[in-house]
Amino acid sequence: MFAGALGCKVTDKFKTNSTQALTPDYRPLELEKEIRAFWEQNNTLRKLMDFKEKNSKGIVGYVEGPPTLNGIPHVGHARGRVMKDLRYRWKTMQGYFMPFWAGWDCQGLPVELEVEKLLGVKNKRELLERVGEEQFIEECKKAIMKYHREWVKLDSLLGIFMNHDKAYWTYHDSYIEREWQYLKRAWEQGLLEEGHYVVAYCPGCQTSLSSAEVGHEDSYMIVEDPSLYFKFKLTDSQDEYFLVWTTMPFTLVTDTLLAVHPEAEYAKIKVNDEKWIMAKQRVEPVMQELGIAKYEIVETFSGSSLEGTKYDFPFKDLVPKQAELEGKHKLVHRVILEDFVDVNTATGVVHQSPGNGEEDFFAAQKRGVPIFAPFDDEVRFTSEAGAFSGLFARDADAKVVEELRKRGLLVEVKTVKHEYPTCWRSHHKLVWLARKEYFIRTDKINARVLEAVGKVKFFYESPKNRFLTFLKEGKPWCISRERVWGAPLPVWKCEKCGEKTLVASKEELVANAIEKPQGHFELHKPWVDRITMKCQKCGGIMRREDYVLDCWHNAGASPYARFTDAEFAKYVPVDFLTEGIDQTRGWANSLLLEHVILTRKAEPPYKAFLFQGLAQDAKGRKMSKSLGNVIEANKLLENQSADVCRFYMLRKCSPEGFISFDLSELRGRPYQVLSTLYHLSRFLLQNAEFDGFNPEKHTLEWAMSQSQLKKADSWLLSKLQEAVQTYTEKLETCEFNFALGILEDYVIETVSRLYVPMVRKELWTDDPETLNRRLSVYATLWSVLKTVTLLFNPITPYLSEVLYQNVYRKLDAKLHESVNFEDWPKPNEQLRNVALEEDFKTLLKCVSLVYSARQSAKLKRRWPLSKMVVVAPEEACNALKDMAELFRELANVKTAEFLEIVPAYTSQEGWVSASEGDSQVFLDVHRDERLLGEGLMRDLARRIQALRKELGYLPTDMLDGVYVAELDDETTRLLKPYLSEMEELVRTKKVHLPSSREKVKAQWHECQMDDRKVYVAISQQEA
Ligand SMILES: [Zn+2]
Ligand SMILES: [Zn+2]
């Protein structure tokens, strides 16, 4: 309800304001929609980038960490993009050019699995049979475009100023060709090689995974496995056995060695009529676990004495190949000594399956023991595994246990729940397998990699350490994948002599092809597979090695692959990147390794890297599809303001922290901060416009030259310089949460809660005598609020643009067409006054003492009092005396005395006090009729002001009349002397006090004032 009281109409001025400038309430969703359209119409994003490319004071290199287009973006993604956009807008305002161009990660396992799901196929075999490679690739391209639309929408809603016109796509031929250059360099340096190696293999995805992928955030899960104790009999003894433990019984099929620790003490124990060998320190706990009470240690010896001891492999009848192996190498089925044997768990005797374990593999390899890995692509045993042939590895567990039982070798089998790595995409339990793969021998350049990473700034210790620990492992990087949708491995191998060649461009490929490709040809399977070449060595036919590249290699090639040579030279190493903490094993890692290979230098591709914590739900639980607590970003932004979300995401915790995203918190403090800035700006606009403020003429210099700046103004300006300085420093160190704390405190506390009450009364009047003073306050607020608006721009770009257009540009048409073209504020040392800030600290402390003294006497702040006495050290007294007028105004006390000793009269009745440290405040609480009347008037004025606002009047609107009815005679008498002051306060031509409502026909509003009811009406004729 806005109009109607006494037939009043909305004024023209009100109409103009409500439709063209700022609505009385902050409605971010509507504003953001308007600003999006404004940016669109004015082509702001592109104009800005073009302008900065031509007019910058320097370059800030950047390459986009490409989101994988295999799913819908959630709030965690949104938070990451907000941090990137913060950097872009901030650095742009500082005068730099940053190539903030998009990029999309399009290939690899995550996309393939998503498409397999869409197509409803269960595994790779079914995929190739039912769909075929060509069709599958089409489907992958369709799928990424679907998700691409979601990401573009997110950027638009969130107000991310990333340029999508110059996006890179990791599946484009041009990109893949440049990615191949990295491999060419590796090839030239002898770092790219084929080899057998134990890799983690996912039976579901039917591909090997890199060690980085195995350590992925999502990979470890609690699973159930058998816990099996069994015996291997010593060949040269009738009653002696090794006691062994495993959680993977199927690996007994590929067992070829037993390992013990050379320095540990081992024991032979007698159990019934058998003797078992195990680590001595494990005897008691293991016997306890097995429930064996009767046993005795008959002998102890060091592990080294067991070296070469032969044991009976129990399944030679089931797996004849195992018997063959014994003939091939003398160490097969004997004990070896290894330091990696852990004698603190299990029995300290470890069975070795070089075909299924990394350490086992190395142990066998260095002794020349043959690797036995009889598995097919689906991790089923092949015919070499004899009786186990056709069984999926993990399904062989039961058969192994059963066969041990039959042979009297089973001691105990139970189930354990333990953490075990699963596939980060499909969550199948991983199996370690020795396979033929392609590796980049990053282990050979580990020292250079570590030197390079030492030059990177990481901002926070814990993610940095996590990254370094991982890098120090320095394992060879398995880059081959037995998949379809990926950049192909560009290695061709001769069928006859095994000669290999690496081809690193499309042109070279076509030139060397025996048959030139006909029709469509792209750098993907199956097209590249159709290219065959002639072997230069023997004339045989060369075919491509049937692998695609690890998707992390694909994305990690971006610094070179997404740019031209000239751009690469200009932008790389890039200045700053930020991605999720999971990227320590992902993009951050592959970028670094590839760059060191490409440049052959100990140079990182990025100078600084900020790892972000991940997003969790309100209760701090990980967001996951199974819990149903994933917050999709686009859905969120349908009903929530992007600015409020952006502020919240940056303010709630440090960027490295895991954010517990709680929707209910958005409406609280984040909204309040932005709303306060909005209302302060609106307050400035209305008053400044009313008084004809001209920012070009009424500058701070002008105000100073007129001697119109008061201490409060200087204090506010001084505090601003401090805020600009520390805020910028905190952005630099990526402490976004603290940076925003500074802004929040400045807006809410300094400007809104403290400064505005100091000047509100001065602005209320329209007395021409004091016009210059009012213009000076506007000059101060203009400087302060405009600066704050600019500081907010990287955080809340919509609100900053709204205020820039509707307040600043409205009053100064010469300003830029968008806030983004403004320069980043710098602290002005001339406006800084630390001594004054100290004085204000003293003043504000004493004001709050007055407030607490008032509270103890139940005296409202609005009620004027006659006298206060402040007792404080000399220096403080002098500062307060200098600001006595302001102090009396804020304290709402008529007279003040500043003393160094407590005067005796304050101990009399009628005085209350409050103190803090060396300052003490005494208040005279006695109120005569004049003070009572003025207090009543202030109480009433406040009700009327609230009503004015509720009815939609602008603070500058002059009302024709205000009616207050049903006051008792005493109140009326006390009020009468203050009616003209009240008229000024509530901005009306006349205040009437009719004894009853009936006397005036009006729309009455009931107001509660302490324990009584009063009735107020407002009359206003059409202007
Ligand atoms: Zn998988
Ligand atoms: Zn050949």
Side-chain angles (χ1 to χ4, degrees):
M1 190 204 70
F2 281 93
L6 285 175
C8 87
K9 297 259 170 66
V10 168
T11 65
D12 283 342
K13 199 163 146 198
F14 179 72
K15 278 188 220 151
T16 312
N17 269 284
S18 68
T19 54
Q20 287 182 4
L22 302 175
T23 52
D25 52 340
Y26 172 49
R27 294 183 217 153
L29 271 176
E30 288 170 32
L31 296 173
E32 286 165 17
K33 208 168 144 193
E34 283 168 28
I35 293 296
R36 254 194 302 283
F38 171 84
W39 286 336
E40 190 64 37
Q41 274 160 24
N42 291 285
N43 209 11
T44 310
L45 186 159
R46 280 155 197 90
K47 254 191 232 169
L48 177 68
M49 194 167 276
D50 288 349
F51 178 80
K52 290 290 170 183
E53 194 164 6
K54 291 179 194 106
N55 307 278
S56 76
K57 70 174 189 195
I59 287 171
V60 168
Y62 178 78
V63 64
E64 164 69 346
T68 308
L69 297 177
N70 72 324
I72 289 171
H74 56 69
V75 284
H77 296 121
R79 183 179 179 225
R81 288 189 100 63
V82 165
M83 289 183 203
K84 292 176 180 179
D85 191 57
L86 184 170
R87 179 88 186 176
Y88 172 68
R89 290 181 191 262
W90 168 45
K91 286 291 154 188
T92 299
M93 289 174 81
Q94 281 188 330
Y96 295 100
F97 170 66
M98 174 168 151
F100 198 36
W101 303 329
W104 308 109
D105 191 9
C106 311
Q107 303 181 129
L109 205 47
V111 179
E112 288 197 48
L113 293 183
E114 187 60 31
V115 176
E116 278 188 5
K117 214 160 65 189
L118 293 172
L119 294 171
V121 297
K122 282 196 292 291
N123 58 32
K124 197 169 89 186
R125 193 163 44 119
E126 194 187 335
L127 171 77
L128 296 181
E129 280 165 9
R130 245 187 58 200
V131 185
E133 287 181 346
E134 217 160 310
Q135 180 61 30
F136 181 55
I137 289 211
E138 278 318 300
E139 296 296 336
C140 287
K141 288 180 186 170
K142 260 193 252 167
I144 59 173
M145 288 320 291
K146 185 180 89 187
Y147 294 120
H148 176 251
R149 285 191 288 278
E150 293 288 331
W151 281 87
V152 171
K153 185 179 172 193
L154 172 64
D155 277 1
S156 166
L157 290 175
L158 260 187
I160 305 294
F161 256 22
M162 192 178 278
N163 185 325
H164 286 197
D165 302 344
K166 275 200 81 165
Y168 71 90
W169 301 75
T170 58
Y171 79 96
H172 282 174
D173 281 1
S174 53
Y175 183 97
I176 290 172
E177 278 187 294
R178 287 179 77 84
E179 178 185 1
W180 281 354
Q181 294 300 317
Y182 284 92
L183 293 174
K184 195 177 172 187
R185 299 283 174 98
W187 184 259
E188 288 163 1
Q189 294 168 65
L191 295 175
L192 176 60
E193 57 186 46
E194 178 194 337
H196 273 86
Y197 197 75
V198 173
V199 289
Y201 190 89
C202 172
C205 304
Q206 291 175 30
T207 183
S208 48
L209 301 174
S210 69
S211 51
E213 285 170 307
V214 176
H216 196 275
E217 289 292 324
D218 289 336
S219 68
Y220 279 80
M221 290 179 83
I222 301 287
V223 300
E224 276 196 358
D225 270 321
S227 163
L228 169 69
Y229 282 96
F230 63 96
K231 298 173 293 188
F232 275 168
K233 193 177 89 55
L234 275 67
T235 306
D236 299 331
S237 165
Q238 283 314 304
D239 59 353
E240 289 175 348
Y241 297 83
F242 288 109
L243 184 64
V244 190
W245 178 81
T246 183
T247 54
M248 289 187 283
F250 78 90
T251 60
L252 260 73
V253 178
T254 56
D255 170 273
T256 49
L257 301 161
L258 278 182
V260 297
H261 197 287
E263 277 127 51
E265 194 178 16
Y266 283 79
K268 198 178 280 176
I269 57 170
K270 193 169 180 299
V271 179
N272 298 327
D273 43 9
E274 291 179 0
K275 289 178 195 124
W276 295 355
I277 297 170
M278 63 186 297
K280 185 176 175 240
Q281 67 183 89
R282 295 298 301 162
V283 171
E284 210 186 298
V286 170
M287 290 302 113
Q288 200 171 5
E289 192 187 334
L290 294 173
I292 298 173
K294 246 187 95 186
Y295 65 88
E296 103 188 69
I297 296 180
V298 292
E299 195 186 342
T300 63
F301 38 82
S302 99
S304 59
S305 67
L306 290 166
E307 188 175 17
T309 308
K310 182 141 182 43
Y311 63 94
D312 283 346
F313 178 74
F315 300 151
K316 273 189 262 185
D317 53 333
L318 298 173
V319 190
K321 181 84 185 169
Q322 279 278 17
E324 250 178 68
L325 290 174
E326 282 187 12
K328 277 190 175 167
H329 197 282
K330 60 177 172 32
L331 279 182
V332 171
H333 303 140
R334 285 181 189 268
V335 173
I336 56 166
L337 307 178
E338 279 292 351
D339 286 339
F340 63 69
V341 172
D342 183 1
V343 288
N344 296 310
T345 60
T347 67
V349 180
V350 185
H351 101 91
Q352 300 282 292
S353 298
N356 292 104
E358 199 175 352
E359 282 173 332
D360 319 33
F361 177 86
F362 285 127
Q365 202 188 36
K366 73 182 177 199
R367 294 174 171 87
V369 172
I371 311 295
F372 182 44
F375 297 100
D376 70 7
D377 285 351
E378 286 169 46
V379 202
R380 283 185 308 218
F381 283 109
T382 61
S383 57
E384 282 201 320
F388 294 92
S389 170
L391 272 179
F392 171 58
R394 297 299 326 223
D395 293 343
D397 286 348
K399 187 175 166 69
V400 166
V401 171
E402 194 42 44
E403 293 294 340
L404 286 171
R405 194 193 308 277
K406 278 192 210 161
R407 288 162 169 75
L409 296 170
L410 175 71
V411 177
E412 189 190 71
V413 65
K414 288 192 298 194
T415 345
V416 281
K417 281 188 179 169
H418 63 161
E419 260 204 339
Y420 186 84
T422 64
C423 171
W424 64 289
R425 293 301 317 173
S426 68
H427 289 300
H428 287 86
K429 277 192 218 170
L430 296 178
V431 178
W432 268 257
L433 286 180
R435 286 182 73 88
K436 193 197 91 168
E437 301 286 351
Y438 273 80
F439 293 90
I440 295 183
R441 292 295 302 276
T442 39
D443 52 325
K444 288 189 183 172
I445 53 165
N446 196 238
R448 209 182 302 160
V449 169
L450 292 175
E451 190 188 335
V453 82
K455 299 171 185 170
V456 180
K457 186 177 165 75
F458 287 103
F459 306 101
Y460 293 91
E461 280 303 305
S462 115
K464 174 186 169 178
N465 292 336
R466 189 164 154 177
F467 190 31
L468 292 185
T469 305
F470 168 68
L471 283 174
K472 279 177 188 158
E473 288 176 19
K475 289 187 183 170
W477 179 8
C478 174
I479 55 157
S480 48
R481 296 290 180 276
E482 293 101 303
R483 296 292 316 187
V484 181
W485 175 235
L489 177 75
V491 173
W492 271 255
K493 187 175 178 181
C494 176
E495 283 179 340
K496 245 166 92 184
C497 75
E499 175 73 4
K500 285 183 201 154
T501 183
L502 183 141
V503 179
S505 81
K506 204 170 175 176
E507 201 189 337
E508 204 185 330
L509 201 57
V510 174
N512 291 335
I514 293 174
E515 263 181 74
K516 305 293 168 220
Q518 303 290 318
H520 178 76
F521 177 69
E522 63 176 80
L523 299 183
H524 280 112
K525 282 167 78 58
W527 297 279
V528 278
D529 291 340
R530 293 175 190 151
I531 300 272
T532 53
M533 297 175 206
K534 211 169 116 184
C535 175
Q536 297 296 311
K537 220 168 149 188
C538 76
I541 291 180
M542 301 185 101
R543 294 187 192 282
R544 197 179 74 81
E545 289 281 77
D546 190 10
Y547 296 102
V548 295
L549 295 167
D550 178 4
C551 59
W552 298 111
H553 187 278
N554 193 218
S558 57
Y560 185 76
R562 82 95 58 236
F563 293 128
T564 62
D565 286 350
E567 287 168 340
F568 179 76
K570 241 197 301 190
Y571 304 138
V572 183
V574 301
D575 284 76
F576 172 89
L577 295 176
T578 176
E579 296 294 333
I581 182 72
D582 47 342
Q583 298 301 328
T584 44
R585 286 167 172 275
W587 198 54
N589 174 43
S590 61
L591 276 180
L592 178 69
L593 297 177
E594 288 179 58
H595 191 76
V596 170
I597 289 166
L598 186 79
T599 62
R600 301 185 183 215
K601 289 190 275 188
E603 176 191 275
Y606 38 77
K607 294 175 194 158
F609 207 116
L610 170 67
F611 289 111
Q612 310 143 12
L614 306 178
Q616 303 169 322
D617 72 6
K619 292 178 189 146
R621 292 175 307 180
K622 191 176 170 159
M623 287 194 188
S624 76
K625 273 184 191 160
S626 55
L627 282 175
N629 59 354
V630 179
I631 304 177
E632 285 179 17
N634 286 333
K635 272 193 191 149
L636 172 79
L637 293 167
E638 273 170 27
N639 317 307
Q640 298 291 340
S641 147
D643 276 344
V644 174
C645 287
R646 288 174 66 123
F647 183 91
Y648 174 70
M649 288 171 178
L650 295 168
R651 175 75 178 103
K652 172 152 181 178
C653 63
S654 101
E656 65 144 358
F658 279 52
I659 186 169
S660 300
F661 199 95
D662 187 346
L663 268 173
S664 66
E665 289 175 344
L666 291 172
R667 282 177 286 276
R669 189 73 167 176
Y671 180 87
Q672 189 205 347
V673 175
L674 305 193
S675 172
T676 303
L677 177 60
Y678 178 90
H679 286 290
L680 286 169
S681 309
R682 192 169 175 270
F683 171 76
L684 166 65
L685 176 70
Q686 288 170 344
N687 285 284
E689 262 193 322
F690 183 80
D691 274 327
F693 171 70
N694 175 356
E696 263 197 279
K697 189 174 155 212
H698 305 123
T699 59
L700 281 180
E701 293 73 27
W702 168 84
M704 284 178 216
S705 72
Q706 301 285 311
S707 304
Q708 289 287 357
L709 281 196
K710 291 191 178 173
K711 287 205 158 135
D713 313 315
S714 305
W715 167 75
L716 183 71
L717 288 164
S718 180
K719 293 281 283 181
L720 175 69
Q721 312 316 315
E722 186 201 13
V724 170
Q725 167 121 19
T726 50
Y727 176 65
T728 309
E729 284 166 4
K730 294 288 173 203
L731 289 186
E732 210 62 76
T733 52
C734 290
E735 294 168 279
F736 306 137
N737 50 328
F738 292 126
L740 286 197
I742 292 163
L743 277 196
E744 176 179 320
D745 187 64
Y746 187 74
V747 169
I748 300 261
E749 288 300 311
T750 309
V751 186
S752 175
R753 199 179 69 82
L754 298 174
Y755 176 75
V756 169
M758 294 179 196
V759 295
R760 197 192 291 276
K761 203 173 165 194
E762 290 183 288
L763 300 185
W764 194 242
T765 158
D766 50 10
D767 182 355
E769 290 283 306
T770 56
L771 178 62
N772 277 356
R773 170 59 196 150
R774 291 202 295 283
L775 292 171
S776 302
V777 172
Y778 304 146
T780 305
L781 277 173
W782 171 275
S783 167
V784 162
L785 292 177
K786 179 164 173 262
T787 303
V788 168
T789 299
L790 301 187
L791 295 178
F792 262 99
N793 187 46
I795 316 299
T796 58
Y798 289 110
L799 177 59
S800 288
E801 192 75 276
V802 164
L803 299 179
Y804 191 75
Q805 298 300 333
N806 294 305
V807 179
Y808 304 104
R809 248 186 122 199
K810 190 156 191 264
L811 293 172
D812 182 356
K814 286 194 184 132
L815 288 183
H816 299 285
E817 68 171 78
S818 163
V819 65
N820 294 287
F821 288 90
E822 281 279 349
D823 289 337
W824 189 250
K826 286 198 189 104
N828 179 347
E829 280 312 310
Q830 260 143 16
L831 293 176
R832 189 82 205 270
N833 185 341
V834 179
L836 181 67
E837 285 180 33
E838 283 305 311
D839 289 351
F840 262 78
K841 248 187 219 164
T842 309
L843 169 74
L844 294 168
K845 185 176 84 180
C846 291
V847 170
S848 77
L849 286 179
V850 172
Y851 292 161
S852 51
R854 276 177 175 274
Q855 211 164 17
S856 65
K858 294 195 169 61
L859 294 166
K860 290 187 201 167
R861 291 183 199 177
R862 274 195 302 282
W863 294 347
L865 298 175
S866 68
K867 187 172 177 180
M868 62 181 167
V869 177
V870 178
V871 180
E874 187 186 358
E875 210 183 329
C877 282
N878 290 339
L880 290 170
K881 268 181 214 163
D882 262 6
M883 298 188 283
E885 190 190 342
L886 181 59
F887 188 12
R888 287 197 306 268
E889 171 89 30
L890 294 174
N892 197 16
V893 177
K894 303 290 181 195
T895 60
E897 255 192 286
F898 304 97
L899 305 169
E900 283 167 61
I901 313 163
V902 180
Y905 58 82
T906 56
S907 57
Q908 292 167 6
E909 211 183 321
W911 287 84
V912 291
S913 79
S915 67
E916 191 199 316
D918 51 14
S919 307
Q920 208 173 353
V921 163
F922 297 88
L923 273 186
D924 179 357
V925 297
H926 174 73
R927 298 196 296 153
D928 60 15
E929 285 199 346
R930 281 179 24 243
L931 292 174
L932 284 170
E934 194 182 339
L936 273 169
M937 182 277 285
R938 297 265 191 114
D939 273 346
L940 254 175
R942 191 177 129 95
R943 303 289 146 188
I944 295 162
Q945 277 157 346
L947 183 64
R948 273 182 66 116
K949 204 168 169 185
E950 199 185 308
L951 296 178
Y953 293 102
L954 284 186
T956 47
D957 288 338
M958 179 61 81
L959 306 175
D960 285 337
V962 169
Y963 298 81
V964 184
E966 323 256 328
L967 297 174
D968 59 54
D969 292 348
E970 173 70 1
T971 305
T972 310
R973 186 178 67 81
L974 288 170
L975 263 180
K976 277 244 163 95
Y978 293 96
L979 286 185
S980 65
E981 201 178 328
M982 183 156 151
E983 281 156 7
E984 202 183 317
L985 265 182
V986 304
R987 219 174 259 263
T988 179
K989 288 175 191 156
K990 187 82 189 146
V991 173
H992 307 271
L993 302 177
S995 55
S996 102
R997 277 173 284 169
E998 264 109 72
K999 300 220 165 140
V1000 182
K1001 193 168 165 286
Q1003 179 143 8
W1004 287 100
H1005 302 268
E1006 188 183 293
C1007 303
Q1008 192 69 34
M1009 215 171 85
D1010 297 327
D1011 49 358
R1012 61 191 134 177
K1013 280 191 176 72
V1014 294
Y1015 297 87
V1016 178
I1018 284 173
S1019 85
Q1020 173 80 328
Q1021 297 307 316
E1022 198 175 342

